[in-house]
Amino acid sequence: MNEFDLINNYFSWQLNDSDIELGVGDDAAIVNLHSDFQLVTSTDTLSEGVHFFDDDLPEDIAYKSLAVNLSDIAAMGATAKWFTLALTLPSLDEVWLKHFSESLKETSQKYSVSLIGGDTTKGTLNISITIMGVVQKRCAIKRSGAKNGDYIYVSGDIGDAAHCLKKIKEGVKPNESELIKLKRPLPRLELGSALKNIASSCIDISDGLEQDLQHIIKASKVGAEIDVYDLPISEELNNYIKTSGNWSLPLCGGDDYELCFTANKEHDSAIKNIAKTHNIRITKIGVISDSKRLEVKGYDGALKSYQHF
Ligand code: ADP
Ligand code: MG
């Protein structure tokens, strides 16, 4: 099997999107854009040893590679449409490829996104996806729109993925729900979309709430006050914090892919309704201030979110 058979066998399946004029197989893909919509695009890479362990299952790696990209589209309030896959493989392992491509196909169908191209090379395992979405002109939710007095919210629970990773690194067996949080994060596409015209800013929490909220306050030229006792955390994590006094997991732990967003307080009841309609926990964790800095109440320990360099 050569590179072209590999693409044909594992990454060229029937697509169901009339906006695609040309998918996998030519020098480039062609998609049609509707007027009054803007293209929203982003790339996220997963590298062996950095984003996953060498014995992680191909189906989990495929799921997460796409999910983290979908999460960026969700954070913009956009609708995910297409993606390309740049795949670097150490060898041509057909069993691995079968599981990887089946999971990628299943995940793409679940979230109605289509694989329209990519690149395949040899080297250390690396999966780089470029995702493309659409949003009505000027409706995307940027990091830069937070205003003094806005409430700050977080979806879901935070810190479990980092707690899970900590346990694995310490040789402790994580429980099933923690493993799911780490390996199968849920892209909050419905929530992001519902927050259009409501949220003043939004970001997905990939590297830790503390760092990601700093991105919002920097882009918006504001400050923020949050209280650790308002953070949405699981019972398991709460127990860990009670004994250790260490709030760094929900504050600085990455990999949750929950949304952190701000909104004028007049939208508070609309946000409660969104939480109910979409059956997603949404928690108010603080308020935007004019201080230009992030103030974390209830914890004065070290804060260090994830940084690659
Ligand atoms: P080129 O040499 O013109 O860059 P390639 O031989 O790399 O083209 O790719 C051939 C076709 O297969 C292109 O349409 C490309 O987008 C697609 N493709 C290559 N690798 C992948 C992949 N891993 N997943 C999906 N499509 C791929
Ligand atoms: Mg070419």
Side-chain angles (χ1 to χ4, degrees):
M1 192 167 66
N2 64 27
E3 174 195 333
F4 306 105
D5 299 325
L6 184 158
I7 297 163
N8 262 328
N9 292 349
Y10 296 107
F11 299 108
S12 173
W13 52 76
Q14 189 67 39
L15 302 175
N16 180 26
D17 178 352
S18 57
D19 292 331
I20 301 170
E21 187 168 315
L22 199 54
V24 170
D26 211 305
D27 288 310
I30 305 174
V31 294
N32 292 315
L33 288 174
H34 296 234
S35 57
D36 294 329
F37 280 78
Q38 291 177 304
L39 180 73
V40 180
T41 183
S42 164
T43 301
D44 252 336
T45 298
L46 266 68
S47 305
E48 185 178 290
V50 182
H51 302 93
F52 55 86
F53 298 106
D54 57 3
D55 59 351
D56 276 0
L57 298 174
E59 47 270 43
D60 287 340
I61 297 172
Y63 174 90
K64 192 161 175 179
S65 303
L66 186 52
V68 301
N69 274 279
L70 290 166
S71 175
D72 284 319
I73 294 293
M76 303 303 291
T79 302
K81 291 280 285 176
W82 314 289
F83 67 103
T84 59
L85 167 70
L87 189 59
T88 306
L89 299 168
S91 64
L92 212 161
D93 176 343
E94 291 218 49
V95 177
W96 191 94
L97 274 165
K98 183 172 179 294
H99 286 106
F100 181 88
S101 86
E102 277 175 7
S103 168
L104 192 69
K105 182 178 174 187
E106 189 188 314
T107 311
S108 69
Q109 288 170 344
K110 177 166 185 218
Y111 292 103
S112 307
V113 281
S114 302
L115 177 59
I116 56 168
D119 197 21
T120 307
T121 49
K122 188 173 175 178
T124 309
L125 183 59
N126 192 85
I127 300 106
S128 186
I129 285 181
T130 295
I131 191 114
M132 286 152 268
V134 293
V135 71
Q136 289 99 320
K137 274 185 185 159
R138 288 172 294 278
C139 284
I141 314 167
K142 301 175 187 167
R143 296 178 179 182
S144 55
K147 299 271 183 306
N148 187 16
D150 283 358
Y151 287 172
I152 307 167
Y153 301 88
V154 161
S155 67
D157 287 344
I158 53 173
D160 285 334
H163 196 198
C164 182
L165 194 60
K166 183 175 188 293
K167 285 186 175 178
I168 294 171
K169 284 181 174 162
E170 289 169 354
V172 179
K173 200 172 168 341
N175 64 41
E176 196 53 33
S177 70
E178 288 170 324
L179 273 172
I180 287 173
K181 279 292 189 67
L182 181 65
K183 294 184 190 264
R184 299 264 167 170
L186 284 175
R188 298 294 194 184
L189 285 159
E190 286 187 354
L191 174 61
S193 200
L195 289 172
K196 266 189 320 237
N197 308 318
I198 289 181
S200 51
S201 71
C202 187
I203 192 167
D204 68 323
I205 307 174
S206 53
D207 295 329
L209 172 68
E210 176 260 340
Q211 182 164 282
D212 291 325
L213 184 53
Q214 298 264 16
H215 290 316
I216 285 188
I217 63 176
K218 206 165 172 203
S220 301
K221 301 189 177 68
V222 291
E225 278 172 23
I226 60 169
D227 192 320
V228 291
Y229 292 101
D230 291 332
L231 297 180
I233 53 175
S234 66
E235 209 180 311
E236 171 93 15
L237 186 55
N238 195 24
N239 290 337
Y240 164 78
I241 293 170
K242 266 190 197 152
T243 50
S244 67
N246 179 7
W247 282 92
S248 72
L249 291 175
L251 282 170
C252 305
D255 269 332
D256 287 312
Y257 298 97
E258 294 295 347
L259 297 184
C260 173
F261 59 96
T262 60
N264 188 295
K265 59 178 173 235
E266 73 181 20
H267 293 306
D268 192 55
S269 62
I271 288 165
K272 288 193 175 103
N273 279 335
I274 290 172
K276 219 184 272 168
T277 314
H278 296 278
N279 195 23
I280 297 174
R281 182 177 187 186
I282 298 180
T283 308
K284 174 178 173 260
I285 60 161
V287 186
I288 293 293
S289 69
D290 59 5
S291 71
K292 305 263 161 69
R293 49 182 287 274
L294 172 62
E295 194 188 327
V296 181
K297 290 183 187 160
Y299 181 64
D300 51 16
L303 293 175
K304 198 171 184 302
S305 292
Y306 189 78
Q307 294 193 347
H308 284 277
F309 298 101

